[in-house]
Amino acid sequence: MSAPDQWPLWEVFVRSKNGLSHKHSGSLHAPDADMALKNARDVYTRRSEGTSIWVVLSSNIVASAPDAKEVLFAPSDDKVYRHPTFYEIPDEVGHM
Amino acid sequence: MLPEANWITRAPSLRSKLILLAKVQDEAGHGLYLYSSAETLGTSRDEMIADLHSGKAKYSSIFNYPTLSWADMGAIGWLVDGAAIQNQVMLCRASYGPYSRAMVRICKEESFHQRQGYEIMLHLAKGTQEQKDMAQDALNRWWWPSLMMFGPSDDNSPNSAQSMAWRIKRKSNDELRQEFVDKTVPQAKFLGLSIPDADLRWNEALGQHDFGSIDWNEFFAVVAGNGPCNSERIEARRKAHAEGAWVREAASAYAAKQAARRSSDSKANPQAA
């Protein structure tokens, strides 16, 4: 029997409830998008975990490099004025 | 069919059959989560399956024991899945993200397996004398293999130091085994069943149970491939893989055909593509 080439890897994203965004659940191999969706349903939503599934070919995902973490994300650490708690509002003003 | 799958068609009620099927489906999923996690380290699924079939890859020693009666489905859920959870709860905090995330999902699902196993034991233990004997017999056979699931004792576990250093494991084999014994003894007592260990007793000073020594010769023999069902299990795995080949080939052929059709459609009608 000839072994077919290994099926591509798909990343599975599940939306848990209407209103929430899709969240990564895991991955699986499947020959095409339809099978990937069917398998994702069987593997990742057996206990009412989802109302919607996305499957994306892993090879189509572009990721930031782990060693770029400092360069990309450190600059936001010293910009506390981007957070509402940075600003002092007198109690008399009430909730804002 | 894998050895314990015999009990799907022999389940005593439709309810227990549905539950067992759901459990098997979960376990297949757990295999898949773990393979996915291992793949992130750069090996391929095909290589790992080939290694399993050739005997190169190890798997848990527990899977090499036979399931002789329906009570074994209870004892496996209660003890084997219970021991697995003891280990996996710790692994939820493992340092390697893809592995610990898989473990979080696994733990949520395993909890159902353990409870359904205990329920089977409870029904048998509260049933006729014959049923109670069945439950006791299953406990007698699964107790020691379940304790062995935690792996060799700390002074004889070559992989433990590495796993602890990398923070994959956060507790030692013996610590986990002790926790499991302490947790399980009262559960057995509630069932009115006795654990097959003459040396098992509460140690007031240590606040934990003392228990008898494990037959490590048996453990290493099973790990080396000489357990009661090693060859049967791997043979069943190989057979299932070979007999499923046409399904994989058909799915690949269908995917290729659909892809070819889509690409010729878009050439014929580029606006619609």
Side-chain angles (χ1 to χ4, degrees), chain B residues 15 70 116-128 131-132 135 191:
Chain B
R15 176 184 184 270
W70 172 250
Q116 68 87 30
Y118 195 74
E119 190 198 70
I120 292 173
M121 294 302 274
L122 202 54
H123 284 160
L124 292 170
K126 306 288 172 208
T128 63
Q131 288 173 316
K132 193 174 173 179
L191 293 172

Side-chain angles (χ1 to χ4, degrees), chain A residues 1-7 9 14 24-29 31-32 34-35 41-47 49, chain B residues 22 25-26 29 32-33 36 39 44-47 105 109 112-113 242 245-249 251-252 254-255:
Chain A
M1 248 167 297
S2 68
D5 289 341
Q6 179 156 293
W7 291 334
L9 189 66
V14 173
H24 185 242
S25 283
S27 51
L28 49 79
H29 290 277
D32 59 28
D34 284 346
M35 284 300 290
R41 177 252 182 204
D42 285 347
V43 177
Y44 293 109
T45 64
R46 287 198 304 282
R47 289 179 174 78
E49 288 96 334
Chain B
Q25 198 182 19
D26 277 351
L32 188 138
Y33 306 157
S36 294
E39 280 177 84
S44 75
R45 182 80 53 95
D46 287 350
E47 279 173 88
R105 187 174 284 276
E109 300 181 347
F112 134 61
H113 302 173
W246 72 270
V247 179
R248 297 190 296 276
E249 282 163 16
S252 295
Y254 181 77

Side-chain angles (χ1 to χ4, degrees), chain B residues 4-273:
Chain B
E4 68 276 27
N6 280 328
W7 292 102
I8 293 174
T9 50
R10 291 163 177 80
S13 67
L14 183 57
R15 176 184 184 270
S16 51
K17 183 175 185 171
L18 285 172
I19 292 170
L20 194 52
L21 282 168
K23 188 189 164 187
V24 169
Q25 198 182 19
D26 277 351
E27 299 293 9
H30 297 177
L32 188 138
Y33 306 157
L34 293 177
Y35 275 126
S36 294
S37 149
E39 280 177 84
T40 63
L41 295 167
T43 181
S44 75
R45 182 80 53 95
D46 287 350
E47 279 173 88
M48 288 187 281
I49 300 283
D51 286 347
L52 177 68
H53 291 167
S54 74
K56 186 183 167 206
K58 296 274 189 289
Y59 56 94
S60 179
S61 58
I62 199 74
F63 295 126
N64 297 308
Y65 290 87
T67 53
L68 306 180
S69 82
W70 172 250
D72 288 15
M73 294 299 101
I76 288 176
W78 172 37
L79 301 172
V80 174
D81 291 319
I85 293 169
Q86 197 73 40
N87 199 27
Q88 288 159 341
V89 165
M90 164 193 75
L91 293 171
C92 290
R93 296 186 300 118
S95 58
Y96 189 57
Y99 191 50
S100 63
R101 287 192 285 274
M103 283 298 165
V104 169
R105 187 174 284 276
I106 287 174
C107 283
K108 274 187 205 156
E109 300 181 347
E110 284 289 340
S111 172
F112 134 61
H113 302 173
Q114 191 186 18
R115 291 172 66 114
Q116 68 87 30
Y118 195 74
E119 190 198 70
I120 292 173
M121 294 302 274
L122 202 54
H123 284 160
L124 292 170
K126 306 288 172 208
T128 63
Q129 186 59 47
E130 206 179 345
Q131 288 173 316
K132 193 174 173 179
D133 293 345
M134 253 170 80
Q136 181 64 56
D137 172 60
L139 170 56
N140 291 348
R141 285 182 290 106
W142 290 97
W143 175 253
W144 292 106
S146 299
L147 294 194
M148 291 177 200
M149 281 176 69
F150 295 98
S153 55
D154 294 347
D155 49 17
N156 193 22
S157 173
N159 301 326
S160 278
Q162 184 68 86
S163 300
M164 299 281 268
W166 284 343
R167 300 201 177 195
I168 294 167
K169 290 181 69 131
R170 320 289 297 230
K171 290 178 182 175
S172 76
N173 294 353
D174 286 332
E175 275 177 88
L176 291 165
R177 190 165 14 243
Q178 183 69 50
E179 286 176 9
F180 176 71
V181 170
D182 291 335
K183 211 176 270 185
T184 310
V185 168
Q187 294 167 355
K189 197 175 166 201
F190 185 83
L191 293 172
L193 301 177
S194 50
I195 288 173
D197 179 356
D199 299 321
L200 183 74
R201 60 181 56 85
W202 178 250
N203 184 324
E204 192 64 52
L206 294 177
Q208 63 186 33
H209 291 86
D210 291 337
F211 54 96
S213 51
I214 289 167
D215 180 357
W216 292 115
N217 291 332
E218 176 181 323
F219 173 78
F220 287 112
V222 173
V223 171
N226 301 315
C229 299
N230 293 56
S231 57
E232 187 187 346
R233 170 161 288 268
I234 289 301
E235 197 40 54
R237 227 15 224 91
R238 283 199 203 107
K239 187 162 170 265
H241 193 69
E243 288 177 354
W246 72 270
V247 179
R248 297 190 296 276
E249 282 163 16
S252 295
Y254 181 77
K257 194 172 99 182
Q258 295 297 93
R261 185 168 297 169
R262 268 195 307 276
S263 96
S264 70
D265 282 356
S266 63
K267 268 179 215 135
N269 186 7
Q271 271 83 31

Side-chain angles (χ1 to χ4, degrees), chain A residues 69-89:
Chain A
K69 206 167 146 188
E70 184 92 351
V71 166
L72 291 176
F73 309 114
S76 76
D77 290 347
D78 58 5
K79 294 177 177 63
V80 283
Y81 48 84
R82 286 180 173 166
H83 296 278
T85 46
F86 177 75
Y87 302 93
E88 276 187 38
I89 303 291

